[in-house]
mmCIF file of all heavy atoms in Angstrom:
data_model
loop_
_atom_site.group_PDB
_atom_site.id
_atom_site.type_symbol
_atom_site.label_atom_id
_atom_site.label_comp_id
_atom_site.label_asym_id
_atom_site.label_seq_id
_atom_site.Cartn_x
_atom_site.Cartn_y
_atom_site.Cartn_z
ATOM 1 N N PHE A 12 110.728 21.971 -84.249
ATOM 2 C CA PHE A 12 111.496 20.725 -84.302
ATOM 3 C C PHE A 12 112.627 20.754 -83.284
ATOM 4 O O PHE A 12 112.856 19.774 -82.577
ATOM 5 C CB PHE A 12 112.056 20.504 -85.710
ATOM 6 C CG PHE A 12 112.899 19.274 -85.814
ATOM 7 C CD1 PHE A 12 112.312 18.025 -85.872
ATOM 8 C CD2 PHE A 12 114.280 19.374 -85.833
ATOM 9 C CE1 PHE A 12 113.088 16.877 -85.954
ATOM 10 C CE2 PHE A 12 115.066 18.234 -85.911
ATOM 11 C CZ PHE A 12 114.465 16.985 -85.972
ATOM 12 N N ASP A 13 113.328 21.873 -83.210
ATOM 13 C CA ASP A 13 114.427 21.997 -82.248
ATOM 14 C C ASP A 13 113.920 21.860 -80.813
ATOM 15 O O ASP A 13 114.551 21.200 -79.986
ATOM 16 C CB ASP A 13 115.149 23.331 -82.418
ATOM 17 C CG ASP A 13 115.935 23.416 -83.714
ATOM 18 O OD1 ASP A 13 116.227 22.355 -84.301
ATOM 19 O OD2 ASP A 13 116.235 24.543 -84.142
ATOM 20 N N LEU A 14 112.797 22.477 -80.529
ATOM 21 C CA LEU A 14 112.229 22.376 -79.184
ATOM 22 C C LEU A 14 111.845 20.943 -78.856
ATOM 23 O O LEU A 14 112.110 20.443 -77.762
ATOM 24 C CB LEU A 14 111.010 23.287 -79.056
ATOM 25 C CG LEU A 14 111.278 24.784 -79.009
ATOM 26 C CD1 LEU A 14 109.963 25.554 -79.050
ATOM 27 C CD2 LEU A 14 112.063 25.140 -77.758
ATOM 28 N N ALA A 15 111.216 20.258 -79.809
ATOM 29 C CA ALA A 15 110.824 18.866 -79.593
ATOM 30 C C ALA A 15 112.059 17.985 -79.414
ATOM 31 O O ALA A 15 112.087 17.103 -78.546
ATOM 32 C CB ALA A 15 109.974 18.375 -80.749
ATOM 33 N N TYR A 16 113.082 18.224 -80.206
ATOM 34 C CA TYR A 16 114.310 17.440 -80.125
ATOM 35 C C TYR A 16 114.989 17.630 -78.770
ATOM 36 O O TYR A 16 115.399 16.664 -78.124
ATOM 37 C CB TYR A 16 115.255 17.831 -81.259
ATOM 38 C CG TYR A 16 116.484 16.976 -81.337
ATOM 39 C CD1 TYR A 16 116.417 15.696 -81.883
ATOM 40 C CD2 TYR A 16 117.706 17.433 -80.861
ATOM 41 C CE1 TYR A 16 117.546 14.896 -81.953
ATOM 42 C CE2 TYR A 16 118.827 16.645 -80.925
ATOM 43 C CZ TYR A 16 118.745 15.375 -81.471
ATOM 44 O OH TYR A 16 119.867 14.580 -81.528
ATOM 45 N N ARG A 17 115.083 18.887 -78.336
ATOM 46 C CA ARG A 17 115.689 19.158 -77.028
ATOM 47 C C ARG A 17 114.866 18.536 -75.908
ATOM 48 O O ARG A 17 115.407 18.028 -74.929
ATOM 49 C CB ARG A 17 115.845 20.652 -76.808
ATOM 50 C CG ARG A 17 117.037 21.223 -77.559
ATOM 51 C CD ARG A 17 117.261 22.639 -77.155
ATOM 52 N NE ARG A 17 116.091 23.434 -77.521
ATOM 53 C CZ ARG A 17 116.131 24.604 -78.111
ATOM 54 N NH1 ARG A 17 117.283 25.151 -78.377
ATOM 55 N NH2 ARG A 17 115.037 25.255 -78.420
ATOM 56 N N GLY A 18 113.552 18.576 -76.051
ATOM 57 C CA GLY A 18 112.690 17.956 -75.051
ATOM 58 C C GLY A 18 112.911 16.461 -74.970
ATOM 59 O O GLY A 18 112.995 15.882 -73.884
ATOM 60 N N MET A 19 113.023 15.821 -76.125
ATOM 61 C CA MET A 19 113.274 14.382 -76.138
ATOM 62 C C MET A 19 114.662 14.055 -75.582
ATOM 63 O O MET A 19 114.839 13.049 -74.889
ATOM 64 C CB MET A 19 113.130 13.823 -77.553
ATOM 65 C CG MET A 19 111.702 13.751 -78.037
ATOM 66 S SD MET A 19 110.613 12.828 -76.937
ATOM 67 C CE MET A 19 111.331 11.208 -77.016
ATOM 68 N N GLU A 20 115.640 14.895 -75.861
ATOM 69 C CA GLU A 20 116.973 14.688 -75.294
ATOM 70 C C GLU A 20 116.917 14.723 -73.778
ATOM 71 O O GLU A 20 117.552 13.918 -73.101
ATOM 72 C CB GLU A 20 117.946 15.761 -75.786
ATOM 73 C CG GLU A 20 118.478 15.544 -77.173
ATOM 74 C CD GLU A 20 119.468 16.608 -77.573
ATOM 75 O OE1 GLU A 20 119.331 17.773 -77.121
ATOM 76 O OE2 GLU A 20 120.386 16.297 -78.342
ATOM 77 N N ARG A 21 116.147 15.661 -73.226
ATOM 78 C CA ARG A 21 116.023 15.768 -71.769
ATOM 79 C C ARG A 21 115.321 14.559 -71.184
ATOM 80 O O ARG A 21 115.691 14.067 -70.117
ATOM 81 C CB ARG A 21 115.286 17.047 -71.389
ATOM 82 C CG ARG A 21 116.121 18.300 -71.675
ATOM 83 C CD ARG A 21 115.427 19.524 -71.215
ATOM 84 N NE ARG A 21 115.477 19.542 -69.748
ATOM 85 C CZ ARG A 21 115.015 20.538 -69.016
ATOM 86 N NH1 ARG A 21 114.463 21.577 -69.589
ATOM 87 N NH2 ARG A 21 115.084 20.492 -67.709
ATOM 88 N N VAL A 22 114.299 14.064 -71.876
ATOM 89 C CA VAL A 22 113.584 12.874 -71.402
ATOM 90 C C VAL A 22 114.526 11.675 -71.384
ATOM 91 O O VAL A 22 114.591 10.931 -70.397
ATOM 92 C CB VAL A 22 112.337 12.604 -72.275
ATOM 93 C CG1 VAL A 22 111.757 11.233 -72.003
ATOM 94 C CG2 VAL A 22 111.291 13.681 -72.059
ATOM 95 N N VAL A 23 115.275 11.494 -72.464
ATOM 96 C CA VAL A 23 116.209 10.372 -72.549
ATOM 97 C C VAL A 23 117.289 10.503 -71.476
ATOM 98 O O VAL A 23 117.650 9.516 -70.811
ATOM 99 C CB VAL A 23 116.825 10.279 -73.959
ATOM 100 C CG1 VAL A 23 117.983 9.297 -74.008
ATOM 101 C CG2 VAL A 23 115.754 9.892 -74.962
ATOM 102 N N ALA A 24 117.812 11.695 -71.272
ATOM 103 C CA ALA A 24 118.843 11.911 -70.252
ATOM 104 C C ALA A 24 118.295 11.629 -68.856
ATOM 105 O O ALA A 24 118.992 11.047 -68.013
ATOM 106 C CB ALA A 24 119.379 13.340 -70.338
ATOM 107 N N THR A 25 117.048 12.010 -68.602
ATOM 108 C CA THR A 25 116.437 11.755 -67.301
ATOM 109 C C THR A 25 116.261 10.265 -67.070
ATOM 110 O O THR A 25 116.562 9.752 -65.980
ATOM 111 C CB THR A 25 115.080 12.478 -67.190
ATOM 112 O OG1 THR A 25 115.302 13.883 -67.356
ATOM 113 C CG2 THR A 25 114.428 12.229 -65.848
ATOM 114 N N PHE A 26 115.783 9.534 -68.084
ATOM 115 C CA PHE A 26 115.651 8.087 -67.942
ATOM 116 C C PHE A 26 117.007 7.427 -67.727
ATOM 117 O O PHE A 26 117.126 6.490 -66.933
ATOM 118 C CB PHE A 26 114.947 7.473 -69.149
ATOM 119 C CG PHE A 26 113.455 7.579 -69.074
ATOM 120 C CD1 PHE A 26 112.759 8.282 -70.038
ATOM 121 C CD2 PHE A 26 112.745 6.982 -68.052
ATOM 122 C CE1 PHE A 26 111.383 8.389 -69.979
ATOM 123 C CE2 PHE A 26 111.372 7.074 -67.981
ATOM 124 C CZ PHE A 26 110.684 7.787 -68.945
ATOM 125 N N ALA A 27 118.025 7.895 -68.408
ATOM 126 C CA ALA A 27 119.371 7.332 -68.228
ATOM 127 C C ALA A 27 119.867 7.574 -66.803
ATOM 128 O O ALA A 27 120.462 6.680 -66.184
ATOM 129 C CB ALA A 27 120.331 7.934 -69.242
ATOM 130 N N LEU A 28 119.618 8.761 -66.271
ATOM 131 C CA LEU A 28 120.017 9.079 -64.908
ATOM 132 C C LEU A 28 119.287 8.184 -63.906
ATOM 133 O O LEU A 28 119.901 7.637 -62.986
ATOM 134 C CB LEU A 28 119.731 10.553 -64.606
ATOM 135 C CG LEU A 28 119.963 11.010 -63.174
ATOM 136 C CD1 LEU A 28 121.437 10.930 -62.830
ATOM 137 C CD2 LEU A 28 119.437 12.419 -62.985
ATOM 138 N N LEU A 29 117.979 8.024 -64.082
ATOM 139 C CA LEU A 29 117.202 7.178 -63.173
ATOM 140 C C LEU A 29 117.653 5.727 -63.248
ATOM 141 O O LEU A 29 117.741 5.033 -62.232
ATOM 142 C CB LEU A 29 115.711 7.295 -63.486
ATOM 143 C CG LEU A 29 115.077 8.647 -63.179
ATOM 144 C CD1 LEU A 29 113.624 8.659 -63.613
ATOM 145 C CD2 LEU A 29 115.207 8.987 -61.707
ATOM 146 N N ARG A 30 117.966 5.273 -64.451
ATOM 147 C CA ARG A 30 118.437 3.893 -64.618
ATOM 148 C C ARG A 30 119.775 3.694 -63.918
ATOM 149 O O ARG A 30 119.998 2.678 -63.254
ATOM 150 C CB ARG A 30 118.559 3.586 -66.104
ATOM 151 C CG ARG A 30 118.884 2.165 -66.396
ATOM 152 C CD ARG A 30 118.766 1.893 -67.887
ATOM 153 N NE ARG A 30 118.998 0.489 -68.141
ATOM 154 C CZ ARG A 30 119.938 0.036 -68.922
ATOM 155 N NH1 ARG A 30 120.718 0.871 -69.573
ATOM 156 N NH2 ARG A 30 120.097 -1.250 -69.097
ATOM 157 N N ARG A 31 120.675 4.678 -64.048
ATOM 158 C CA ARG A 31 121.984 4.581 -63.388
ATOM 159 C C ARG A 31 121.821 4.587 -61.870
ATOM 160 O O ARG A 31 122.458 3.804 -61.164
ATOM 161 C CB ARG A 31 122.885 5.734 -63.835
ATOM 162 C CG ARG A 31 124.311 5.589 -63.329
ATOM 163 C CD ARG A 31 125.234 6.652 -63.865
ATOM 164 N NE ARG A 31 124.938 7.933 -63.242
ATOM 165 C CZ ARG A 31 124.597 9.026 -63.907
ATOM 166 N NH1 ARG A 31 124.506 9.012 -65.209
ATOM 167 N NH2 ARG A 31 124.351 10.157 -63.269
ATOM 168 N N ARG A 32 120.943 5.458 -61.354
ATOM 169 C CA ARG A 32 120.710 5.495 -59.907
ATOM 170 C C ARG A 32 120.139 4.179 -59.407
ATOM 171 O O ARG A 32 120.545 3.681 -58.356
ATOM 172 C CB ARG A 32 119.738 6.621 -59.551
ATOM 173 C CG ARG A 32 120.349 7.991 -59.594
ATOM 174 C CD ARG A 32 119.314 8.992 -59.150
ATOM 175 N NE ARG A 32 119.768 10.346 -59.348
ATOM 176 C CZ ARG A 32 118.978 11.398 -59.259
ATOM 177 N NH1 ARG A 32 117.700 11.257 -58.982
ATOM 178 N NH2 ARG A 32 119.466 12.599 -59.452
ATOM 179 N N ALA A 33 119.184 3.606 -60.139
ATOM 180 C CA ALA A 33 118.594 2.334 -59.727
ATOM 181 C C ALA A 33 119.659 1.243 -59.708
ATOM 182 O O ALA A 33 119.707 0.418 -58.788
ATOM 183 C CB ALA A 33 117.447 1.959 -60.662
ATOM 184 N N HIS A 34 120.520 1.238 -60.710
ATOM 185 C CA HIS A 34 121.600 0.253 -60.780
ATOM 186 C C HIS A 34 122.548 0.416 -59.589
ATOM 187 O O HIS A 34 122.951 -0.574 -58.958
ATOM 188 C CB HIS A 34 122.349 0.396 -62.100
ATOM 189 C CG HIS A 34 123.494 -0.543 -62.250
ATOM 190 N ND1 HIS A 34 123.314 -1.902 -62.461
ATOM 191 C CD2 HIS A 34 124.834 -0.338 -62.208
ATOM 192 C CE1 HIS A 34 124.510 -2.476 -62.544
ATOM 193 N NE2 HIS A 34 125.436 -1.546 -62.389
ATOM 194 N N GLU A 35 122.907 1.648 -59.259
ATOM 195 C CA GLU A 35 123.797 1.907 -58.131
ATOM 196 C C GLU A 35 123.165 1.466 -56.819
ATOM 197 O O GLU A 35 123.845 0.905 -55.947
ATOM 198 C CB GLU A 35 124.163 3.393 -58.078
ATOM 199 C CG GLU A 35 125.089 3.815 -59.199
ATOM 200 C CD GLU A 35 125.280 5.320 -59.275
ATOM 201 O OE1 GLU A 35 124.644 6.059 -58.482
ATOM 202 O OE2 GLU A 35 126.057 5.770 -60.126
ATOM 203 N N HIS A 36 121.860 1.695 -56.654
ATOM 204 C CA HIS A 36 121.178 1.283 -55.431
ATOM 205 C C HIS A 36 121.141 -0.246 -55.323
ATOM 206 O O HIS A 36 121.331 -0.793 -54.239
ATOM 207 C CB HIS A 36 119.762 1.862 -55.387
ATOM 208 C CG HIS A 36 119.734 3.291 -54.952
ATOM 209 N ND1 HIS A 36 119.143 3.706 -53.790
ATOM 210 C CD2 HIS A 36 120.242 4.410 -55.520
ATOM 211 C CE1 HIS A 36 119.283 5.010 -53.656
ATOM 212 N NE2 HIS A 36 119.939 5.453 -54.709
ATOM 213 N N ARG A 37 120.893 -0.923 -56.440
ATOM 214 C CA ARG A 37 120.900 -2.387 -56.422
ATOM 215 C C ARG A 37 122.294 -2.919 -56.085
ATOM 216 O O ARG A 37 122.432 -3.860 -55.304
ATOM 217 C CB ARG A 37 120.446 -2.949 -57.768
ATOM 218 C CG ARG A 37 118.960 -2.922 -57.969
ATOM 219 C CD ARG A 37 118.534 -3.734 -59.186
ATOM 220 N NE ARG A 37 119.236 -3.370 -60.405
ATOM 221 C CZ ARG A 37 118.823 -2.439 -61.264
ATOM 222 N NH1 ARG A 37 117.708 -1.788 -61.037
ATOM 223 N NH2 ARG A 37 119.525 -2.170 -62.347
ATOM 224 N N GLN A 38 123.330 -2.308 -56.651
ATOM 225 C CA GLN A 38 124.700 -2.734 -56.357
ATOM 226 C C GLN A 38 125.034 -2.526 -54.885
ATOM 227 O O GLN A 38 125.657 -3.384 -54.256
ATOM 228 C CB GLN A 38 125.695 -1.965 -57.209
ATOM 229 C CG GLN A 38 125.786 -2.421 -58.634
ATOM 230 C CD GLN A 38 126.860 -1.653 -59.384
ATOM 231 O OE1 GLN A 38 127.028 -0.446 -59.193
ATOM 232 N NE2 GLN A 38 127.574 -2.344 -60.246
ATOM 233 N N LEU A 39 124.641 -1.400 -54.332
ATOM 234 C CA LEU A 39 124.916 -1.115 -52.933
ATOM 235 C C LEU A 39 124.171 -2.089 -52.030
ATOM 236 O O LEU A 39 124.733 -2.597 -51.052
ATOM 237 C CB LEU A 39 124.524 0.325 -52.597
ATOM 238 C CG LEU A 39 124.842 0.826 -51.197
ATOM 239 C CD1 LEU A 39 126.335 0.686 -50.914
ATOM 240 C CD2 LEU A 39 124.405 2.268 -51.040
ATOM 241 N N ALA A 40 122.916 -2.389 -52.344
ATOM 242 C CA ALA A 40 122.152 -3.350 -51.552
ATOM 243 C C ALA A 40 122.789 -4.738 -51.631
ATOM 244 O O ALA A 40 122.870 -5.449 -50.620
ATOM 245 C CB ALA A 40 120.705 -3.394 -52.033
ATOM 246 N N MET A 41 123.261 -5.129 -52.814
ATOM 247 C CA MET A 41 123.926 -6.418 -52.965
ATOM 248 C C MET A 41 125.235 -6.440 -52.177
ATOM 249 O O MET A 41 125.570 -7.429 -51.530
ATOM 250 C CB MET A 41 124.200 -6.706 -54.444
ATOM 251 C CG MET A 41 124.712 -8.102 -54.702
ATOM 252 S SD MET A 41 124.866 -8.515 -56.448
ATOM 253 C CE MET A 41 126.021 -7.283 -57.011
ATOM 254 N N LEU A 42 125.976 -5.350 -52.199
ATOM 255 C CA LEU A 42 127.221 -5.254 -51.451
ATOM 256 C C LEU A 42 126.959 -5.398 -49.963
ATOM 257 O O LEU A 42 127.689 -6.092 -49.257
ATOM 258 C CB LEU A 42 127.904 -3.914 -51.746
ATOM 259 C CG LEU A 42 129.220 -3.631 -51.053
ATOM 260 C CD1 LEU A 42 130.289 -4.577 -51.596
ATOM 261 C CD2 LEU A 42 129.621 -2.192 -51.251
ATOM 262 N N LEU A 43 125.888 -4.776 -49.482
ATOM 263 C CA LEU A 43 125.551 -4.870 -48.065
ATOM 264 C C LEU A 43 125.158 -6.288 -47.660
ATOM 265 O O LEU A 43 125.471 -6.736 -46.563
ATOM 266 C CB LEU A 43 124.414 -3.910 -47.722
ATOM 267 C CG LEU A 43 124.789 -2.438 -47.635
ATOM 268 C CD1 LEU A 43 123.545 -1.581 -47.522
ATOM 269 C CD2 LEU A 43 125.717 -2.198 -46.461
ATOM 270 N N SER A 44 124.462 -6.980 -48.565
ATOM 271 C CA SER A 44 123.990 -8.320 -48.213
ATOM 272 C C SER A 44 125.084 -9.374 -48.308
ATOM 273 O O SER A 44 125.009 -10.399 -47.633
ATOM 274 C CB SER A 44 122.814 -8.711 -49.098
ATOM 275 O OG SER A 44 123.237 -8.861 -50.429
ATOM 276 N N THR A 45 126.109 -9.153 -49.107
ATOM 277 C CA THR A 45 127.125 -10.182 -49.311
ATOM 278 C C THR A 45 128.466 -9.878 -48.659
ATOM 279 O O THR A 45 129.254 -10.782 -48.442
ATOM 280 C CB THR A 45 127.383 -10.406 -50.816
ATOM 281 O OG1 THR A 45 127.822 -9.181 -51.398
ATOM 282 C CG2 THR A 45 126.138 -10.903 -51.514
ATOM 283 N N SER A 46 128.732 -8.617 -48.336
ATOM 284 C CA SER A 46 130.058 -8.255 -47.837
ATOM 285 C C SER A 46 130.080 -8.200 -46.320
ATOM 286 O O SER A 46 129.080 -7.968 -45.658
ATOM 287 C CB SER A 46 130.475 -6.889 -48.379
ATOM 288 O OG SER A 46 130.559 -6.933 -49.767
ATOM 289 N N SER A 47 131.256 -8.408 -45.815
ATOM 290 C CA SER A 47 131.443 -8.273 -44.374
ATOM 291 C C SER A 47 131.633 -6.799 -44.033
ATOM 292 O O SER A 47 131.946 -5.973 -44.886
ATOM 293 C CB SER A 47 132.665 -9.066 -43.933
ATOM 294 O OG SER A 47 133.833 -8.503 -44.507
ATOM 295 N N SER A 48 131.440 -6.474 -42.785
ATOM 296 C CA SER A 48 131.583 -5.075 -42.372
ATOM 297 C C SER A 48 133.025 -4.608 -42.488
ATOM 298 O O SER A 48 133.293 -3.423 -42.637
ATOM 299 C CB SER A 48 131.075 -4.886 -40.945
ATOM 300 O OG SER A 48 131.818 -5.698 -40.059
ATOM 301 N N SER A 49 133.998 -5.543 -42.422
ATOM 302 C CA SER A 49 135.398 -5.135 -42.563
ATOM 303 C C SER A 49 135.689 -4.615 -43.967
ATOM 304 O O SER A 49 136.462 -3.670 -44.138
ATOM 305 C CB SER A 49 136.338 -6.290 -42.225
ATOM 306 O OG SER A 49 136.138 -7.350 -43.135
ATOM 307 N N PHE A 50 135.038 -5.223 -44.988
ATOM 308 C CA PHE A 50 135.216 -4.731 -46.356
ATOM 309 C C PHE A 50 134.671 -3.313 -46.480
ATOM 310 O O PHE A 50 135.302 -2.452 -47.077
ATOM 311 C CB PHE A 50 134.518 -5.651 -47.352
ATOM 312 C CG PHE A 50 134.540 -5.124 -48.758
ATOM 313 C CD1 PHE A 50 135.692 -5.188 -49.513
ATOM 314 C CD2 PHE A 50 133.417 -4.533 -49.312
ATOM 315 C CE1 PHE A 50 135.728 -4.684 -50.808
ATOM 316 C CE2 PHE A 50 133.440 -4.037 -50.599
ATOM 317 C CZ PHE A 50 134.593 -4.111 -51.346
ATOM 318 N N LEU A 51 133.496 -3.077 -45.922
ATOM 319 C CA LEU A 51 132.916 -1.734 -45.978
ATOM 320 C C LEU A 51 133.788 -0.747 -45.220
ATOM 321 O O LEU A 51 133.966 0.393 -45.641
ATOM 322 C CB LEU A 51 131.491 -1.739 -45.424
ATOM 323 C CG LEU A 51 130.464 -2.483 -46.266
ATOM 324 C CD1 LEU A 51 129.140 -2.546 -45.526
ATOM 325 C CD2 LEU A 51 130.287 -1.826 -47.608
ATOM 326 N N HIS A 52 134.344 -1.191 -44.094
ATOM 327 C CA HIS A 52 135.227 -0.317 -43.322
ATOM 328 C C HIS A 52 136.488 0.001 -44.121
ATOM 329 O O HIS A 52 136.963 1.144 -44.116
ATOM 330 C CB HIS A 52 135.587 -0.967 -41.989
ATOM 331 C CG HIS A 52 136.493 -0.127 -41.153
ATOM 332 N ND1 HIS A 52 136.065 1.037 -40.559
ATOM 333 C CD2 HIS A 52 137.806 -0.264 -40.839
ATOM 334 C CE1 HIS A 52 137.078 1.580 -39.909
ATOM 335 N NE2 HIS A 52 138.145 0.805 -40.065
ATOM 336 N N ASP A 53 137.020 -0.989 -44.811
ATOM 337 C CA ASP A 53 138.223 -0.777 -45.626
ATOM 338 C C ASP A 53 137.971 0.210 -46.762
ATOM 339 O O ASP A 53 138.886 0.918 -47.192
ATOM 340 C CB ASP A 53 138.723 -2.090 -46.209
ATOM 341 C CG ASP A 53 139.284 -3.019 -45.145
ATOM 342 O OD1 ASP A 53 139.568 -2.534 -44.030
ATOM 343 O OD2 ASP A 53 139.421 -4.222 -45.438
ATOM 344 N N THR A 54 136.768 0.250 -47.252
ATOM 345 C CA THR A 54 136.451 1.175 -48.341
ATOM 346 C C THR A 54 135.887 2.502 -47.832
ATOM 347 O O THR A 54 135.384 3.295 -48.598
ATOM 348 C CB THR A 54 135.439 0.537 -49.307
ATOM 349 O OG1 THR A 54 134.271 0.175 -48.579
ATOM 350 C CG2 THR A 54 136.028 -0.669 -50.002
ATOM 351 N N SER A 55 135.946 2.721 -46.526
ATOM 352 C CA SER A 55 135.496 3.962 -45.881
ATOM 353 C C SER A 55 134.002 4.210 -46.053
ATOM 354 O O SER A 55 133.555 5.343 -46.155
ATOM 355 C CB SER A 55 136.278 5.172 -46.390
ATOM 356 O OG SER A 55 137.641 4.998 -46.166
ATOM 357 N N ILE A 56 133.242 3.136 -46.117
ATOM 358 C CA ILE A 56 131.786 3.262 -46.198
ATOM 359 C C ILE A 56 131.207 2.806 -44.871
ATOM 360 O O ILE A 56 131.481 1.695 -44.411
ATOM 361 C CB ILE A 56 131.203 2.394 -47.335
ATOM 362 C CG1 ILE A 56 131.753 2.838 -48.678
ATOM 363 C CG2 ILE A 56 129.684 2.463 -47.341
ATOM 364 C CD1 ILE A 56 131.355 1.937 -49.831
ATOM 365 N N LEU A 57 130.452 3.656 -44.229
ATOM 366 C CA LEU A 57 129.798 3.268 -42.990
ATOM 367 C C LEU A 57 128.590 2.406 -43.314
ATOM 368 O O LEU A 57 127.836 2.694 -44.245
ATOM 369 C CB LEU A 57 129.345 4.508 -42.212
ATOM 370 C CG LEU A 57 130.448 5.463 -41.746
ATOM 371 C CD1 LEU A 57 129.831 6.699 -41.117
ATOM 372 C CD2 LEU A 57 131.347 4.761 -40.757
ATOM 373 N N CYS A 58 128.402 1.339 -42.562
ATOM 374 C CA CYS A 58 127.281 0.429 -42.825
ATOM 375 C C CYS A 58 125.954 1.155 -42.730
ATOM 376 O O CYS A 58 125.067 0.946 -43.563
ATOM 377 C CB CYS A 58 127.310 -0.737 -41.839
ATOM 378 S SG CYS A 58 128.626 -1.906 -42.158
ATOM 379 N N THR A 59 125.806 2.015 -41.737
ATOM 380 C CA THR A 59 124.531 2.711 -41.577
ATOM 381 C C THR A 59 124.277 3.649 -42.748
ATOM 382 O O THR A 59 123.157 3.730 -43.255
ATOM 383 C CB THR A 59 124.494 3.513 -40.263
ATOM 384 O OG1 THR A 59 125.640 4.371 -40.210
ATOM 385 C CG2 THR A 59 124.496 2.577 -39.071
#
């Protein structure tokens, strides 16, 4: 039971990590499409 529980915890944690990464990538893509390069420069993010 402990092994199965730990395995399920790892699966859930992995899905949560992938979901967070996907969300961050969508946010970054949206930022690139809507923001000017000066905003990215002000936040120290290179466009490339």
Side-chain angles (χ1 to χ4, degrees):
F12 178 77
D13 291 341
L14 288 173
Y16 186 77
R17 282 188 298 225
M19 287 305 297
E20 281 182 328
R21 290 184 72 176
V22 168
V23 169
T25 300
F26 278 119
L28 174 66
L29 292 176
R30 186 171 184 239
R31 187 175 72 238
R32 284 183 188 168
H34 178 72
E35 289 171 357
H36 280 245
R37 281 191 307 270
Q38 283 183 321
L39 184 57
M41 188 174 60
L42 180 68
L43 285 171
S44 67
T45 59
S46 298
S47 65
S48 60
S49 63
F50 174 76
L51 292 173
H52 180 70
D53 291 344
T54 57
S55 302
I56 298 173
L57 298 174
C58 288
T59 53

